[in-house]
Amino acid sequence: MTFELVLAFNIASIAAWLSPGPAMLVAIHTSLAKGRSAGILIGIGLAFMASMWVMAALLGLQAVFEWFPWAYVAVKLLGAAYLFYIAWNSWKNAKKPIASASGAKSRPLMDGVVLNLSNPKSVLFAAAVLVVIFPPDLAGTEKAFIVANLFLL
């Protein structure tokens, strides 16, 4: 593993995060509605789950999805259901001011984890980008570095 490979991975990760998607929208909404602390917590939850998808991909998640195509379909369907849930709540509360639409329960860390757990974009990124950028024969310490790097990034 070289510095150039890590740099390419980091650039691809930043580009993926900056592209509009449900995680970015929920993170912005949470930050505006509940403040900086909640925004940081949802960011930590999103980062944690994104790094877990990367770890799963490094440990062979793509092979699991190839062996059990129904598992990939299940992840996509669960992700779609969760995104519909977010969309429904956004639509239902669209006319309310942001602060009052946020609800009484505040669990932004868990919301970030669940969102990226069910986000098809996270799964596809982890499975596709790692295969393209990194060689398949990485050592365990290199895999751990990649996971930690993504979380910290």
Side-chain angles (χ1 to χ4, degrees):
M1 183 170 62
T2 65
F3 172 76
E4 290 81 10
L5 293 177
V6 174
L7 182 62
F9 178 68
N10 288 347
I11 290 170
S13 297
I14 291 170
W17 296 334
L18 293 177
S19 64
M24 181 64 72
L25 294 175
V26 171
I28 290 170
H29 179 269
T30 301
S31 297
L32 291 173
K34 298 178 183 175
R36 179 185 293 173
S37 296
I40 290 170
L41 286 173
I42 200 163
I44 291 170
L46 290 167
F48 172 77
M49 198 59 231
S51 58
M52 292 301 98
W53 279 125
V54 165
M55 183 172 66
L58 287 168
L59 295 176
L61 179 66
Q62 184 175 357
V64 171
F65 286 153
E66 287 173 5
W67 291 335
F68 305 104
W70 60 266
Y72 184 63
V73 171
V75 168
K76 288 195 312 186
L77 290 175
L78 288 172
Y82 187 65
L83 295 177
F84 277 121
Y85 169 76
I86 291 170
W88 170 256
N89 281 332
S90 296
W91 179 76
K92 183 174 72 170
N93 296 312
K95 292 188 179 189
K96 296 179 185 176
I98 288 178
S100 67
S102 62
K105 286 193 252 179
S106 182
R107 43 176 212 156
L109 181 68
M110 193 52 134
D111 288 345
V113 170
V114 170
L115 179 59
N116 255 0
L117 178 64
S118 62
N119 187 353
K121 182 178 164 186
S122 294
V123 179
L124 292 173
F125 173 81
V129 172
L130 289 171
V131 172
V132 172
I133 294 177
F134 293 110
D137 58 344
L138 292 171
T141 55
E142 292 172 321
K143 291 177 181 180
F145 174 79
I146 293 166
V147 171
N149 169 69
L150 181 69
F151 179 77
L152 293 174
L153 186 63

